[in-house]
Amino acid sequence: MKFEDIILTGDRPTGPLHLGHYVGSLLNRVTLQDQYKQYIMIADLQALTDNADNPQKVRDNVMEVLLDYLSVGIDPKKTTIFVQSMIPEIAELTVLYLNLVTVNRLQRNPTVKAEMQSKSYGETVPAGFLMYPVSQAADITIVKGTIIPVGEDQLPMIEQTNEIVRSFNRIYGKEVFPEAKALVSKVGRLAGLDGKAKMSKSLGNAIYLSDDADTLKKKVMSMYTDPGHLRVEDPGQIEGNMVFEYLDVFDTNKEKVAELKHQYRQGGLGDVKLKMYLFQVLNDLLTPIRLKRAELAKNKDAVMQILLEGTQQVRLVAQKTMDEVRKAMHLNYE
Amino acid sequence: MKFEDIILTGDRPTGPLHLGHYVGSLLNRVTLQDQYKQYIMIADLQALTDNADNPQKVRDNVMEVLLDYLSVGIDPKKTTIFVQSMIPEIAELTVLYLNLVTVNRLQRNPTVKAEMQSKSYGETVPAGFLMYPVSQAADITIVKGTIIPVGEDQLPMIEQTNEIVRSFNRIYGKEVFPEAKALVSKVGRLAGLDGKAKMSKSLGNAIYLSDDADTLKKKVMSMYTDPGHLRVEDPGQIEGNMVFEYLDVFDTNKEKVAELKHQYRQGGLGDVKLKMYLFQVLNDLLTPIRLKRAELAKNKDAVMQILLEGTQQVRLVAQKTMDEVRKAMHLNYE
């Protein structure tokens, strides 16, 4: 059977999106929406797996993430944006898939293992957390996703999904689902303001797409540079200097960046001046995004409507998938 | 908050129902349907947890179990019968509950532990099997069940449900769900034809409600009596003699049973004569059930319609429950 190429991607609504998301996934989605049918899922239920006691935070961030999507140029005419919790078929498929996976297999999943350690759950890991590769398999297959943009660390999740797909198709004797291919991002991870390997909300080292100019300036001014570069006239280091890392990523004027690097190495370029330049580059990038966001935020009902319409479209697709699943599993009572 | 008393009970459709079900639960349901709002769930998804590769068997037994219910006098005007897989809200609630239970808590559940051992899953226990107390909590609470008829061995399942109910109500600050009380059957387990502690399909020692008279006679004739009672004139033992156990349970003429016991103990009552008497008692009980079953089986579409209508009623209840759940969890997007 030949399946259409379909992209499924998404985010957990646990905070507004930042520059790491922008270069790591959002820009990519803006390009991909012209080449493929693309679904973006706001994974509110997955966000609840470790925020069960703070549902209002998750709820508020659904709107923030949605505003971020639309302001960077994700176009609801090309990309279908939907919210996970409003697709009951995902839960149905998750429950069915749980019979096709052993507990041991889930406990050996490298992504789950790594995340369990980083959250130091120890003996108290919630069942929903252990099960989340199964829930992701349902997210992907309910829309018959074939291309899944992921980071390297998420490859075991795609493998788990394909194991379930193969089991299902084999046991029920029908090729209901396609296998999915990982589309691994070529862009490395954007480091945080503090020089830590990853820009992230929880590390408090992120520049948000929704930051205003003042906040952006303060954050850029606080960036980690060369701790040995004390006076303007001193020579400075480029390696590990976050300002240059960001310029390499975000400044399209590569000649100018090369010139600044030369000057910095020689001595005579102060951190403040350099940071003001980066601020300008980032502010030029973020200003139109910020303006569009402000405009959209004036009418949140209309923005929510975009999400509800996308969700309605996905429900139709999901119901069609579940009809096939029920038929294959002899669960179609009539 | 005051909750209405609601019964939830049900069966896994893995085979037709037998005399053990009749005295252990079915008779009780026929009485209870006049006293309470009663739901009976045909747990097809739960049956699939250990029959994932044999969906047609599960599907066929949904009809068998339904015919059994109706022929013993469960009245669809008083009792709502529904099929689990057609209530997607149960799956939704299961997925939400998985975040409220730890994997360790599930692994320590005595009922799950015992069943895992009896199925000798070892390292390969399916995730769906480990999770099934959570799925049962969803079955019970989706209709806000408060009275759950169970055997002693199922008490830990009710406790698990109530733990989830308390967590949910506490975390989300609303008393959405009532706690459930177990209604433990006073009738002991009916032993099998072979004298083994439990009548069960898998032990092959069961008399089915749907057995015809010939099959019934053959099965009664094969029953375990007193292996030392070789000749008619020998004195025989009552204890552990299945024929007398069944007479105690099924014969309403207690004087007659006492007389037969006396005669058997003295010697002079042969096993064949005794068994023919039991056959008559059981056949008198099963004949009207068998006739009603045959009548119903002539129009299986109409029988299926009863299930579909019951299921439709439960969906409305389930949707109302999920509306409350979504509101409590801030998942009501509009």
Side-chain angles (χ1 to χ4, degrees):
Chain A
M1 194 163 164
K2 188 83 190 85
F3 290 94
E4 185 196 350
D5 267 334
I6 287 173
I7 296 184
L8 177 80
T9 179
D11 296 280
R12 295 159 44 108
T14 50
L17 302 181
H18 52 59
L19 282 178
H21 297 112
Y22 183 77
V23 292
S25 61
L26 297 175
L27 269 183
N28 210 22
R29 294 177 193 175
V30 173
T31 310
L32 289 168
Q33 69 185 347
D34 289 320
Q35 299 163 27
Y36 297 102
K37 171 76 219 155
Q38 177 171 259
Y39 293 99
I40 301 183
M41 181 180 80
I42 303 186
D44 58 344
L45 291 184
Q46 207 193 102
L48 281 174
T49 56
D50 45 9
N51 290 277
D53 51 353
N54 201 352
Q56 188 58 44
K57 175 184 131 186
V58 172
R59 174 56 185 271
D60 293 342
N61 280 309
V62 169
M63 178 52 74
E64 294 307 309
V65 165
L66 190 52
L67 287 169
D68 287 333
Y69 288 163
L70 299 174
S71 35
V72 299
I74 288 170
D75 178 353
K77 289 199 191 67
K78 300 174 180 172
T79 295
T80 307
I81 308 171
F82 69 104
V83 64
Q84 189 182 28
S85 70
M86 283 181 78
I87 311 292
E89 291 77 14
I90 294 177
E92 287 190 85
L93 204 47
T94 301
V95 167
L96 298 176
Y97 284 169
L98 284 172
N99 296 331
L100 307 180
V101 185
T102 67
V103 174
N104 270 48
R105 176 65 183 85
L106 292 172
Q107 284 169 332
R108 286 198 320 267
N109 183 306
T111 315
V112 173
K113 261 168 97 169
E115 293 193 22
M116 268 167 63
Q117 263 165 0
S118 84
K119 289 179 198 283
S120 41
Y121 276 132
E123 295 286 280
T124 61
V125 55
F129 191 82
L130 183 65
M131 301 300 128
Y132 104 81
V134 181
S135 153
Q136 270 195 352
D139 297 335
I140 292 171
T141 54
I142 200 79
V143 296
K144 304 198 177 182
T146 59
I147 302 177
I148 316 299
V150 288
E152 287 279 356
D153 56 333
Q154 296 288 310
L155 288 175
M157 305 303 267
I158 306 295
E159 190 40 41
Q160 178 71 79
T161 296
N162 287 338
E163 277 181 36
I164 291 174
V165 163
R166 286 190 293 266
S167 293
F168 187 98
N169 291 345
R170 178 177 46 75
I171 292 173
Y172 299 110
K174 291 226 170 89
E175 210 184 329
V176 174
F177 296 111
E179 291 193 36
K181 285 178 294 290
L183 180 66
V184 180
S185 171
K186 269 161 274 172
V187 184
R189 247 183 191 153
L190 187 67
L193 297 172
D194 52 3
K196 287 204 177 121
K198 188 185 171 187
M199 178 174 281
S200 108
K201 184 178 57 72
S202 50
L203 297 174
N205 61 5
I207 293 172
Y208 295 106
L209 300 178
S210 47
D211 281 344
D212 60 26
D214 277 353
T215 308
L216 175 63
K217 194 182 281 175
K218 270 188 210 120
K219 287 183 176 175
V220 171
M221 288 302 158
S222 79
M223 281 177 86
Y224 182 85
T225 57
D226 170 6
H229 185 240
L230 298 175
R231 287 168 307 180
V232 173
E233 58 270 33
D234 288 343
Q237 281 234 353
I238 307 296
E239 294 69 33
N241 186 318
M242 287 302 108
V243 179
F244 284 108
E245 277 216 26
Y246 280 39
L247 284 175
D248 281 338
V249 174
F250 294 103
D251 195 357
T252 48
N253 186 346
K254 300 298 166 200
E255 269 177 53
K256 174 75 180 176
V257 175
E259 190 190 309
L260 288 170
K261 284 181 179 173
H262 179 75
Q263 220 184 329
Y264 196 80
R265 275 204 192 91
Q266 277 199 314
L269 174 56
D271 275 13
V272 172
K273 194 173 168 194
L274 178 70
K275 284 176 170 175
M276 276 307 292
Y277 178 75
L278 174 62
F279 163 69
Q280 211 50 63
V281 167
L282 293 178
N283 201 41
D284 287 352
L285 173 74
L286 291 178
T287 300
I289 295 174
R290 203 185 288 141
L291 286 173
K292 189 158 180 198
R293 204 179 198 282
E295 194 56 37
L296 288 162
K298 281 184 197 157
N299 190 351
K300 287 190 178 172
D301 284 353
V303 172
M304 186 49 83
Q305 207 48 42
I306 290 172
L307 183 66
L308 294 177
E309 277 167 24
T311 302
Q312 195 45 43
Q313 285 175 37
V314 173
R315 279 220 68 182
L316 297 178
V317 173
Q319 281 163 356
K320 195 163 164 289
T321 302
M322 279 308 295
D323 283 347
E324 294 174 44
V325 167
R326 287 173 185 282
K327 210 171 155 197
M329 294 184 73
H330 306 247
L331 289 172
N332 51 337
Y333 301 92
E334 256 157 55
Chain B
M1 195 163 165
K2 188 84 191 86
F3 290 95
E4 188 195 351
D5 267 334
I6 288 173
I7 296 185
L8 177 81
T9 178
D11 296 282
R12 295 160 44 110
T14 50
L17 302 181
H18 52 59
L19 281 179
H21 297 112
Y22 183 76
V23 292
S25 59
L26 296 175
L27 269 183
N28 211 20
R29 294 177 193 174
V30 174
T31 311
L32 289 169
Q33 69 185 347
D34 289 320
Q35 298 164 27
Y36 297 102
K37 172 74 218 153
Q38 178 171 258
Y39 293 98
I40 301 184
M41 181 179 81
I42 303 186
D44 60 343
L45 291 185
Q46 208 193 101
L48 281 173
T49 56
D50 45 10
N51 290 278
D53 51 354
N54 201 352
Q56 189 58 45
K57 175 183 131 187
V58 173
R59 174 56 185 270
D60 292 343
N61 281 308
V62 169
M63 177 53 74
E64 295 307 310
V65 166
L66 191 52
L67 287 169
D68 288 332
Y69 288 162
L70 299 174
S71 36
V72 298
I74 289 171
D75 178 353
K77 288 198 191 66
K78 298 173 180 172
T79 294
T80 308
I81 309 172
F82 70 103
V83 64
Q84 189 182 29
S85 70
M86 283 182 77
I87 311 291
E89 291 77 13
I90 294 177
E92 286 189 85
L93 204 48
T94 301
V95 167
L96 297 176
Y97 285 168
L98 284 172
N99 297 331
L100 307 181
V101 186
T102 67
V103 174
N104 270 49
R105 176 67 183 82
L106 291 171
Q107 284 169 333
R108 285 198 320 268
N109 183 305
T111 315
V112 173
K113 260 168 96 170
E115 293 193 21
M116 267 167 64
Q117 262 165 1
S118 83
K119 289 178 199 284
S120 42
Y121 275 132
E123 296 286 280
T124 61
V125 56
F129 191 82
L130 183 64
M131 300 302 127
Y132 103 81
V134 181
S135 153
Q136 270 195 352
D139 297 335
I140 292 171
T141 54
I142 200 78
V143 296
K144 302 198 178 184
T146 59
I147 302 178
I148 316 299
V150 288
E152 287 278 356
D153 56 333
Q154 295 289 310
L155 288 176
M157 305 302 268
I158 308 294
E159 190 40 40
Q160 178 71 82
T161 297
N162 287 338
E163 277 181 34
I164 291 173
V165 162
R166 286 190 293 267
S167 292
F168 188 98
N169 291 345
R170 178 176 46 76
I171 293 173
Y172 299 112
K174 290 226 170 86
E175 211 184 328
V176 174
F177 295 112
E179 291 192 37
K181 284 178 296 288
L183 181 67
V184 180
S185 170
K186 268 162 273 170
V187 184
R189 244 180 194 156
L190 187 68
L193 296 171
D194 52 3
K196 288 209 176 117
K198 188 186 170 185
M199 178 174 281
S200 108
K201 184 177 56 73
S202 51
L203 296 173
N205 61 5
I207 293 173
Y208 295 105
L209 301 179
S210 47
D211 281 344
D212 61 27
D214 278 352
T215 308
L216 176 64
K217 193 180 281 176
K218 271 188 212 122
K219 286 183 176 176
V220 171
M221 289 302 159
S222 80
M223 280 177 85
Y224 181 85
T225 57
D226 170 6
H229 185 240
L230 299 176
R231 288 169 307 180
V232 173
E233 57 271 33
D234 288 343
Q237 282 234 350
I238 307 297
E239 294 67 34
N241 186 320
M242 287 302 108
V243 180
F244 283 107
E245 278 217 24
Y246 280 39
L247 284 175
D248 280 337
V249 175
F250 293 102
D251 194 356
T252 49
N253 187 347
K254 300 297 165 200
E255 269 176 51
K256 174 78 180 171
V257 174
E259 190 190 312
L260 289 170
K261 284 181 179 174
H262 178 75
Q263 220 184 326
Y264 195 80
R265 275 206 191 90
Q266 279 199 315
L269 173 58
D271 274 12
V272 172
K273 193 172 169 198
L274 178 69
K275 284 176 170 175
M276 277 307 292
Y277 177 75
L278 174 63
F279 163 69
Q280 213 47 64
V281 168
L282 292 179
N283 201 41
D284 287 353
L285 172 74
L286 291 178
T287 300
I289 296 175
R290 203 185 287 138
L291 286 174
K292 187 154 181 203
R293 204 180 198 282
E295 194 55 37
L296 288 163
K298 281 185 200 157
N299 190 351
K300 286 191 180 172
D301 283 354
V303 172
M304 187 48 83
Q305 207 48 43
I306 290 172
L307 183 65
L308 294 177
E309 277 167 25
T311 303
Q312 194 46 45
Q313 284 175 37
V314 174
R315 278 219 71 183
L316 296 178
V317 173
Q319 281 163 356
K320 195 163 163 289
T321 302
M322 279 307 295
D323 283 347
E324 294 174 44
V325 167
R326 286 173 186 282
K327 210 171 156 198
M329 294 184 73
H330 305 248
L331 290 172
N332 52 337
Y333 300 93
E334 258 158 53

